[in-house]
């Protein structure tokens, strides 16, 4: 793709409402930038190619979404957690008629992201400053097709965004065949992933897990993607094979295996 025109982000550390953010260039991509929030890598943006996702867990989410909504440009998405809006920017390119709202707690960060990166304007991508649970609970019933929770305070998702009560609130804003996706960060014992899987499984008929084999074998800290829906999920032809490609292959666990994985784990509650 052509190199981006217009102003580019600047290297440096910048104050935001919740601390600091830092922009650094990607040493392997002349158009790539890494955003760190309070020292933790949060997002990667390729200014020349919105379809390029550097973080593997975002690629896995995108593959799941593409498989579910193949053949349609229309998609109503609620992103809980903004960062650099990498996934929102990607879905705007892959689903041109998508209408997306990104909920970002940090108002100054939202301003900087709009300033630095080539984000589509509202109504294609709207950034709403607010707390993720409060915003979710304020939305109309059945107003979204997809809700993605990718919220972290450091390396941990705030507890109020993990509970069965919040999962029900997210489900309420979904269409009957909508999909709820969470990014769960966990360690080798996978205790949190099991509880999150139990929580999502308690509210949705169908669940899936996407994660790399080392993570699922309890060998390291990393990301586990858990999704729920009341319509069949993750059974599109070729999805499992696609997830095995890329720099970090992911396994796809269907509902029965997810529920076996979560057996005995207590659902999270307020």
């Amino acid at each position: 793709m052509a190199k981006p025109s217009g102003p580019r982000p600047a290297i440096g550390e910048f104050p935001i409402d919740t601390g600091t953010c830092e922009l650094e260039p990607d040493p392997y991509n002349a158009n790539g930038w890494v955003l760190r929030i309070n020292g933790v890598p949060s997002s990667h943006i390729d200014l020349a190619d919105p379809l390029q996702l550097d973080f593997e867990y975002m690629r896995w989410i995108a593959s799941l979404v593409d498989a579910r909504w193949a053949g349609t440009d229309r998609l109503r998405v609620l992103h809980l957690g903004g960062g650099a809006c990498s996934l929102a920017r990607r879905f705007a390119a892959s689903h041109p008629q998508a209408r997306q709202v990104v909920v970002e707690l940090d108002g100054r960060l939202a301003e900087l992201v709009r300033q630095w990166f080539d984000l589509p304007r509202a109504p294609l991508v709207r950034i709403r400053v607010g707390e993720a649970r409060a915003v979710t609970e304020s939305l109309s019933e059945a107003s979204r097709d997809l809700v993605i929770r990718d919220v972290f305070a450091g390396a941990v998702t705030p507890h109020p965004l993990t509970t069965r009560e919040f999962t029900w609130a997210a489900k309420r804003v979904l269409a009957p065949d909508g999909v709820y996706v969470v990014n769960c960060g966990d360690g080798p014992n996978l205790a949190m992933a099991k509880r999150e899987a139990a929580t999502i499984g308690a509210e949705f008929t169908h669940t899936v897990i996407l994660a790399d084999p080392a993570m699922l074998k309890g060998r390291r800290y990393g990301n586990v993607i858990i999704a729920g829906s009341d319509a069949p999920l993750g059974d599109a032809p070729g999805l499992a094979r696609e997830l095995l490609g890329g720099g970090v292959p992911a396994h796809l666990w269907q509902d029965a295996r997810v529920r076996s994985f979560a057996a005995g784990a207590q659902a999270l509650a307020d």
Side-chain angles (χ1 to χ4, degrees):
M1 290 192 178
K3 291 185 178 181
S5 58
R8 292 172 62 89
I11 300 172
E13 186 174 276
F14 305 87
I16 56 175
D17 295 341
T18 56
T20 61
C21 70
E22 183 179 358
L23 270 180
E24 58 185 42
D26 182 343
Y28 305 105
N29 180 350
N31 295 307
W33 291 86
V34 177
L35 174 67
R36 296 178 181 271
I37 297 177
N38 296 320
V40 179
S42 166
S43 306
H44 179 280
I45 285 279
D46 185 322
L47 291 177
D49 185 1
L51 295 174
Q52 175 63 37
L53 296 172
D54 195 66
F55 287 11
E56 291 291 345
Y57 82 87
M58 292 188 181
R59 294 186 193 180
W60 303 337
I61 294 173
S63 292
L64 181 67
V65 171
D66 288 350
R68 181 56 176 271
W69 284 281
T72 179
D73 285 343
R74 296 186 179 278
L75 194 60
R76 300 171 299 168
V77 190
L78 176 66
H79 300 264
L80 304 176
C85 298
S86 304
L87 271 176
R89 190 168 173 264
R90 195 273 190 191
F91 292 142
S94 60
H95 297 76
Q97 299 301 314
R99 297 293 184 266
Q100 303 183 79
V101 173
V102 179
V103 180
E104 172 55 57
L105 180 66
D106 194 301
R108 180 55 182 158
L109 177 63
E111 292 175 1
L112 291 172
V113 166
R114 274 285 185 204
Q115 172 185 321
W116 288 331
F117 304 123
D118 183 24
L119 299 179
R121 293 291 176 178
L124 299 180
V125 175
R126 182 163 66 93
I127 301 179
R128 179 170 172 178
V129 176
E131 190 275 322
R133 180 160 178 166
V135 172
T136 302
E137 292 175 341
S138 75
L139 297 176
S140 300
E141 185 176 351
S143 61
R144 301 294 188 273
D145 302 305
L146 173 65
V147 176
I148 300 174
R149 191 207 76 197
D150 191 11
V151 181
F152 287 88
V156 179
T157 299
H159 178 77
L161 300 179
T162 66
T163 66
R164 186 167 180 179
E165 292 85 350
F166 176 73
T167 304
W168 179 88
K171 180 177 180 177
R172 184 187 65 83
V173 307
L174 285 170
D177 61 348
V179 178
Y180 178 51
V181 181
V182 308
N183 177 21
C184 173
D186 206 359
N189 66 9
L190 296 174
M192 188 61 182
K194 291 177 181 178
R195 295 196 69 183
E196 289 241 55
T199 304
I200 293 171
E203 292 296 332
F204 290 97
T205 306
H206 304 273
T207 60
V208 297
I209 278 179
L210 316 175
D212 70 86
M215 184 68 201
L216 293 173
K217 291 177 181 177
R219 294 178 180 171
R220 65 178 185 85
Y221 178 88
N223 301 101
V224 177
I225 302 304
I226 309 169
S229 179
D230 282 341
L233 183 63
D235 57 354
L239 176 60
R241 183 172 62 253
E242 178 180 335
L243 290 167
L244 289 172
V248 180
H251 282 177
L252 169 64
W253 284 1
Q254 299 285 1
D255 187 73
R257 191 164 186 183
V258 175
R259 293 183 187 278
S260 176
F261 169 74
Q266 185 175 4
L268 293 151
D270 285 349

